[in-house]
Amino acid sequence: MLEIAIGAIIVALIFDFVNGFNDSANSVATVIGTRVLKPIHAVGLSAAMNFIGPFVFGVAVATTIAKGIVSPDDITVYMIVGGLAGAIGWSTLCTYFGLPISNSHSLVGGIMGAGIMGLGFEKLVYGGLTKVFAGIIIAPIGGIIFGLLLTTLIITVFASWKPGPVNKTFGKLQIISSAWFALTHGANDGQKTMGIIVLILFSAGMIPELEMPLWVVFAAATAMGLGTFFGGYKVIKTLGVKITKLRPYQGFAAETGGGLMLAVFAIFGIPASTTHAITGTIMGSGAARRKRAVRWKVSRQIVFSWIITIPGAAAMGIGFTFLIHLFV
């Protein structure tokens, strides 16, 4: 069982790396799209802040993941591996096609599918899943509202300024807002793999309670940071360029608003989607200037990818768990 648990932890860290690889776009897309930072500099900054995030905001999200998807007393290490395989498969597929899906919801869907396959629907923890689905609804809608309001406020306050000084000022401020969003991204997404690793350790009988060892925090934060550094530039292009053409003040508003939402979600243990949050704020920031500035066709494609993520990852989780049970 020890060997299986170690293998499962390695798989979990691979998922964390893939998570950072896809979600690197969330924290650097706008600062690249506005040409404030070169991609390599933006990704380096994002990787560092993603690593720090979990140490700043605590582990409430990790607790939700460990206890709030499938009954921790009943799930096995084999099911967790099946769920992780489903999440990795779905995230990798979407990254290949440049879709900024929610890796958080890929993970939830994968573990849900594994739980359904191994235990049935009755062992799902519906209280925890309610938090997840609340985040699905709140994050994009709240993002649009935050992005719209903050951008409108900036336009109003700086209406008398010439474009040059405004772009220069917010170009500098956007470096701070990008770092802020990366920090909250690490605080939310970085914790999800921690919750899974703790669940693995508990299911394998290696820890008596669902507690968070410090080495788990370091391992997951490192995997997330490395994944971010080697991030997926197809997704960066989709978020930073295809949705709308952003100016520095809009990028600042999008990152600041998205980070505020993620900070609140991290404190309350809601495993929200950073992709949903930043995409919503980008849409809101673009629409504040004029509605036609947003390429709504691309936005509809992204929303479609959100809708199918949990069912798609769950289906893969069911499939991989079924295959695993054939051989063990």
Side-chain angles (χ1 to χ4, degrees):
M1 180 58 72
L2 177 62
E3 292 80 5
I4 299 298
I6 293 172
I9 291 170
I10 292 172
V11 173
L13 292 173
I14 291 172
F15 171 80
D16 208 21
F17 180 87
V18 172
N19 189 347
F21 195 89
N22 185 284
D23 277 5
S24 63
N26 295 342
S27 49
V28 301
T30 54
V31 79
I32 292 173
T34 57
R35 295 175 174 81
V36 169
L37 288 179
K38 293 181 179 179
I40 186 64
H41 298 150
V43 171
L45 175 64
S46 177
M49 300 310 290
N50 266 293
F51 177 84
I52 296 170
F55 297 97
V56 175
F57 285 94
V59 293
V61 173
T63 301
T64 298
I65 292 295
K67 299 179 179 179
I69 301 176
V70 179
S71 171
D73 294 322
D74 299 298
I75 195 169
T76 67
V77 174
Y78 297 109
M79 293 178 205
I80 297 171
V81 172
L84 284 169
I88 291 171
W90 184 258
S91 296
T92 303
L93 181 68
C94 291
T95 299
Y96 176 79
F97 287 105
L99 291 174
I101 53 101
S102 167
N103 285 286
S104 310
H105 298 151
S106 295
L107 179 60
V108 171
I111 298 298
M112 278 181 63
I116 291 168
M117 181 67 214
L119 302 170
F121 285 93
E122 63 272 14
K123 292 299 181 178
L124 296 180
V125 182
Y126 292 99
L129 290 174
T130 299
K131 283 188 175 182
V132 174
F133 288 106
I136 291 176
I137 297 170
I138 296 170
I141 296 174
I144 291 173
I145 294 171
F146 268 97
L148 185 65
L149 292 178
L150 285 173
T151 304
T152 301
L153 177 63
I154 291 170
I155 291 173
T156 302
V157 173
F158 293 91
S160 61
W161 285 41
K162 293 182 179 180
V166 171
N167 289 333
K168 185 177 181 180
T169 299
F170 281 96
K172 294 177 180 178
L173 289 174
Q174 202 185 349
I175 297 174
I176 298 173
S177 64
S178 178
W180 159 247
F181 188 83
L183 181 74
T184 57
H185 173 272
N188 205 292
D189 274 21
Q191 291 190 44
K192 287 152 192 168
T193 297
M194 298 175 200
I196 293 299
I197 293 175
V198 168
L199 191 58
I200 292 168
L201 296 172
F202 180 74
S203 299
M206 299 171 69
I207 55 174
E209 298 178 1
L210 288 169
E211 298 175 341
M212 183 66 63
L214 186 60
W215 70 265
V216 172
V217 180
F218 271 101
T222 300
M224 171 70 73
L226 289 173
T228 301
F229 187 75
F230 296 103
Y233 288 95
K234 281 188 177 181
V235 181
I236 288 173
K237 184 178 179 182
T238 299
L239 278 177
V241 179
K242 287 187 177 180
I243 293 177
T244 185
K245 185 177 179 180
L246 294 175
R247 296 175 182 176
Y249 72 87
Q250 293 170 297
F252 173 82
E255 290 162 346
T256 302
L260 286 171
M261 279 202 306
L262 292 180
V264 173
F265 286 156
I267 292 169
F268 285 98
I270 300 174
S273 166
T274 54
T275 307
H276 292 190
I278 194 63
T279 305
T281 54
I282 289 173
M283 290 179 188
S285 296
R289 189 158 52 96
R290 65 179 189 275
K291 290 182 180 179
R292 294 182 63 183
V294 178
R295 297 182 179 93
W296 296 107
K297 182 178 179 181
V298 175
S299 301
R300 285 195 295 270
Q301 292 172 349
I302 292 171
V303 171
F304 174 73
S305 73
W306 296 347
I307 293 171
I308 64 173
T309 290
I310 287 184
M316 284 193 171
I318 289 171
F320 279 113
T321 304
F322 176 76
L323 290 174
I324 291 171
H325 283 169
L326 288 179
F327 299 99
V328 296

